[in-house]
Amino acid sequence: MGELVIVEIKSLEQLTSADKRTLRFTPLGFSMMGELKPEYAAEFQQRVIAHCDLYPDVPDDTRNSFELVRMLHSYGVLFYEAFTIAYDLSWLVMEQAFRERFVTYFNGAIPLVNTKTKVEEPLNVKNFDEVYQALTHGGSYAQSRWRLKLRSTGQQMEFRATFSHLLKWARKEGLLCGQRNKRTEEVYRRIRNHVAHPVYHVQMPPDSARTISDLAEIINQLWGHSTPGGRLYPAPLEREVLVVAWTDNVDNQYRILRGNQLELFTDPGNWTCIVIRGVWGDDILEFDAQYERTKYSAELLWGPGSREEAFVWLQIAQPETDTVSYLDRLFAVRIHQGRMSFPRRPEVALALPPERQLGLWLLVRSDFTFDAFAYGRYVKDNIVCGDDSPDTPPSASYLAEEIFRGEYDGMVDKLVEHGITESEVLCTVRVPSRFLAGDASDVESD
């Protein structure tokens, strides 16, 4: 038999001394050459998670558990393994947030429907433990004939009070959004199960900080609040009035200006300008009024014309900024005669003339243009998207959701169901390409 491990009794000074491992994590990354002073390390680790705040309407139970996680991360300066504890606890607090949101969402009256009698019977509860007891382990609603009625759509779903079902419920009710987040949400369940059945492991401070930041976003999103600058559930982005200018000479020059900067733009040359509303820092030089080729949504306001004409138009029109969300956008993709189009906004697709309505049409919901484009490629090339085949492209089915596949008239009917009936005037203005075209013979262009 092995020897007993004797606990080392440490002094208060030892317990309150900085852990050398934490001191090597600096604002510039992990340092192999030196360490932060303990007081600087303590401030740095707290500032890393200082932005992770919850909105006031998040209930106290979830809020207190979240603050416990943040406190544990801060104490990692003294005890490096606290980062691992904070990381693991974050996943359990996440489940707590889903459980508490489920009860508050239905105001404590869970709408259950008997699939045999079609009778709806509310389950009145004070907390999620009562939901779990009623739906599992021989509870009064444990039989498979009871299903949960969704508040948002009136549809029914199986619900056995598991974390997996909580995730599906939140997605179906629209509390969670984003096509890329669908893939991430599948990972939540797996990591939560790993934490609930642990093996010894050690996480680093960045792992803990990133998980706490994501946890704050998820909790806020469950209570209806997006996060400005967020990684998972970002708030709508501001679109500014921008001027894109280019020359058609051999130098092939381009400029992107804010609208109020055009008056100061005096570079020599014959410049052609357009005015758009877009996100500063986006791939504005890829702008195409007919196809969605920028990362975020961009809108043509005026042009093309000379910079003098653009300046006059800006002075008269005085266009304003707005905000736009990029999660769960709808795109229309056409596949015809072995070629496919870049994604279009549905309003643009509705404006196409009859000769350009031929072919197979896809309505795709995705967060980014090229997720929809990639999905169209898979369909055109008859590649099956899913997790069953090792040859399947990386999780394509998670990055874009197919809403419709068929002929143009059928797509129009589907758009009506989504409340999209008005078309735009078809415009073919685009910023000239800066590069020589590569092998894109199967991509439709005008």
Side-chain angles (χ1 to χ4, degrees), residues 189-233:
R189 177 184 58 82
R190 300 177 187 177
I191 299 181
R192 177 267 177 204
N193 290 342
H194 175 76
V195 168
H197 307 90
V199 294
Y200 180 77
H201 63 287
V202 177
Q203 302 291 153
M204 295 189 294
D207 301 323
S208 172
R210 182 173 57 249
T211 304
I212 292 172
S213 179
D214 289 349
L215 176 60
E217 283 197 51
I218 293 165
I219 294 174
N220 286 328
Q221 181 64 30
L222 285 175
W223 270 269
H225 304 288
S226 54
T227 302
R231 189 178 79 92
L232 300 176
Y233 305 101

Side-chain angles (χ1 to χ4, degrees), residues 326-390:
Y326 62 87
L327 299 183
D328 292 324
R329 289 182 286 168
L330 271 182
F331 297 95
V333 179
R334 184 174 84 141
I335 302 173
H336 182 54
Q337 295 181 343
R339 307 180 75 198
M340 64 167 287
S341 69
F342 279 103
R344 296 179 171 95
R345 284 186 294 112
E347 295 84 356
V348 174
L350 290 175
L352 291 173
E355 65 272 13
R356 298 183 60 189
Q357 298 173 7
L358 302 175
L360 175 69
W361 283 89
L362 304 174
L363 271 182
V364 176
R365 179 178 285 122
S366 67
D367 301 336
F368 298 105
T369 302
F370 285 98
D371 292 344
F373 181 83
Y375 188 86
R377 284 272 198 184
Y378 301 145
V379 173
K380 182 183 74 70
D381 296 335
N382 295 316
I383 299 176
V384 177
C385 300
D387 293 330
D388 297 333
S389 171

Side-chain angles (χ1 to χ4, degrees), residues 79-269:
F79 175 51
Y80 187 81
E81 282 73 12
F83 295 120
T84 302
I85 301 172
Y87 172 88
D88 287 352
L89 185 57
S90 293
W91 299 101
L92 301 182
V93 172
M94 182 186 300
E95 182 176 10
Q96 176 189 348
F98 275 89
R99 288 160 64 102
E100 189 161 11
R101 184 63 180 118
F102 181 83
V103 174
T104 60
Y105 185 80
F106 293 112
N107 295 316
I110 314 305
L112 299 176
V113 178
N114 190 311
T115 56
K116 294 183 67 175
T117 64
K118 309 300 181 183
V119 174
E120 180 179 337
E121 183 176 329
L123 170 62
N124 295 305
V125 297
K126 296 180 181 178
N127 53 56
F128 194 83
D129 285 341
E130 295 181 5
V131 177
Y132 185 81
Q133 292 170 6
L135 295 176
T136 60
H137 303 304
S140 55
Y141 295 90
Q143 299 90 345
S144 59
R145 67 174 180 268
W146 290 98
R147 297 177 69 85
L148 174 68
K149 180 180 179 181
L150 300 176
R151 194 181 80 181
S152 58
T153 63
Q155 297 177 344
Q156 299 172 18
M157 67 168 286
E158 179 186 4
F159 189 81
R160 299 271 72 88
T162 64
F163 186 40
S164 177
H165 282 175
L166 281 168
L167 288 167
K168 292 178 181 178
W169 161 77
R171 171 63 63 167
K172 287 179 179 292
E173 292 283 21
L175 298 179
L176 301 178
C177 57
Q179 294 304 303
R180 291 196 172 195
N181 287 330
K182 277 187 179 181
R183 181 182 181 185
T184 307
E185 289 155 18
E186 284 295 315
V187 178
Y188 298 164
R189 177 184 58 82
R190 300 177 187 177
I191 299 181
R192 177 267 177 204
N193 290 342
H194 175 76
V195 168
H197 307 90
V199 294
Y200 180 77
H201 63 287
V202 177
Q203 302 291 153
M204 295 189 294
D207 301 323
S208 172
R210 182 173 57 249
T211 304
I212 292 172
S213 179
D214 289 349
L215 176 60
E217 283 197 51
I218 293 165
I219 294 174
N220 286 328
Q221 181 64 30
L222 285 175
W223 270 269
H225 304 288
S226 54
T227 302
R231 189 178 79 92
L232 300 176
Y233 305 101
L237 299 173
E238 181 182 21
R239 293 198 305 180
E240 303 180 56
V241 177
L242 305 174
V243 177
V244 185
W246 65 88
T247 61
D248 53 5
N249 56 26
V250 293
D251 294 335
N252 205 26
Q253 300 182 69
Y254 296 85
R255 299 287 188 274
I256 302 174
L257 310 166
R258 289 186 168 93
N260 57 11
Q261 296 175 325
L262 183 60
E263 184 177 9
L264 303 177
F265 178 54
T266 58
D267 289 10

Side-chain angles (χ1 to χ4, degrees), residues 242 256 278-285 293-298:
L242 305 174
I256 302 174
V279 176
W280 182 262
D282 194 3
D283 304 322
I284 298 299
L285 294 182
R293 301 185 64 169
T294 53
K295 184 176 182 181
Y296 308 112
S297 177

Side-chain angles (χ1 to χ4, degrees), residues 420-431:
I420 303 175
T421 57
E422 297 184 1
S423 62
E424 300 181 350
V425 176
L426 186 63
C427 181
T428 59
V429 174
R430 62 170 299 182
V431 178

